[in-house]
Amino acid sequence: MTALSPDDAAPDTTPGATPGATPWKIVLGELDEKMGVKILEESVERVVATMPVEGNRQSFGLLHGGASLAVGEAVGSWAAVIHASTLGKTAVGVDVSATHHRSAREGQITITATPIYLGGTLTTHEVLITNDAGQRLCTLRITNLLMKPKK
């Protein structure tokens, strides 16, 4: 994860939040850019992104399961870092699991991370990946460890 950076967003009101702390803003990494990820929404309560299926298919013409895991882990981690930043911390992933429910051959997927648990040491998020019709393609669960950023 990248270092905390200030922006003009309002401070988070999560219990335990550092007064005056500015939530971290998402910065796409190299893989995110190559996969065509776009951020639609970012807050402690919810992170939403999209990604095209085209360019992220495996050899049988289906959305690659690894692409789903990569983008799901990124969106879930971003959600954890946004929460962590309000506590003066950052987050690192310690566990991720996924279930693939159906495939996609075209269109765009939407990735939505919502918190299951937001603590001072750990966070757990559910990440849903849906297709253009709103059908669930994949469900991920990610747990992140919150820690002080290295200087």
Side-chain angles (χ1 to χ4, degrees):
M1 290 289 124
T2 59
L4 304 178
S5 61
D7 70 312
D8 346 64
D12 188 330
T13 57
T14 303
T18 303
T22 303
W24 176 79
K25 295 291 282 180
I26 295 170
V27 177
L28 296 180
E30 294 170 359
L31 180 60
D32 311 313
E33 290 177 359
K34 286 179 183 175
M35 291 174 49
V37 175
K38 304 284 185 222
I39 306 303
L40 302 182
E41 187 179 326
E42 56 185 294
S43 70
V44 170
E45 295 81 23
R46 191 167 122 124
V47 174
V48 182
T50 60
M51 184 183 82
V53 173
E54 184 178 347
N56 293 298
R57 294 185 193 117
Q58 37 93 312
S59 56
F60 299 107
L62 302 173
L63 175 64
H64 197 294
S68 295
L69 276 159
V71 73
E73 183 173 8
V75 172
S77 292
W78 293 333
V81 173
I82 292 169
H83 166 67
S85 69
T86 69
L87 305 173
K89 297 180 178 182
T90 192
V92 295
V94 294
D95 184 63
V96 65
S97 63
T99 301
H100 300 285
H101 307 290
R102 63 181 344 131
S103 60
R105 291 184 178 274
E106 60 188 16
Q108 182 168 261
I109 62 170
T110 300
I111 309 95
T112 305
T114 54
I116 295 171
Y117 175 76
L118 295 175
T121 304
L122 288 176
T123 64
T124 302
H125 286 81
E126 179 180 62
V127 183
L128 299 180
I129 299 178
T130 57
N131 63 15
D132 289 329
Q135 297 170 311
R136 185 183 298 228
L137 303 180
C138 184
T139 305
L140 291 91
R141 182 177 173 131
I142 182 168
T143 299
N144 283 273
L145 174 67
L146 305 188
M147 53 194 288
K148 291 185 180 186
K150 292 185 179 181
K151 298 191 183 204

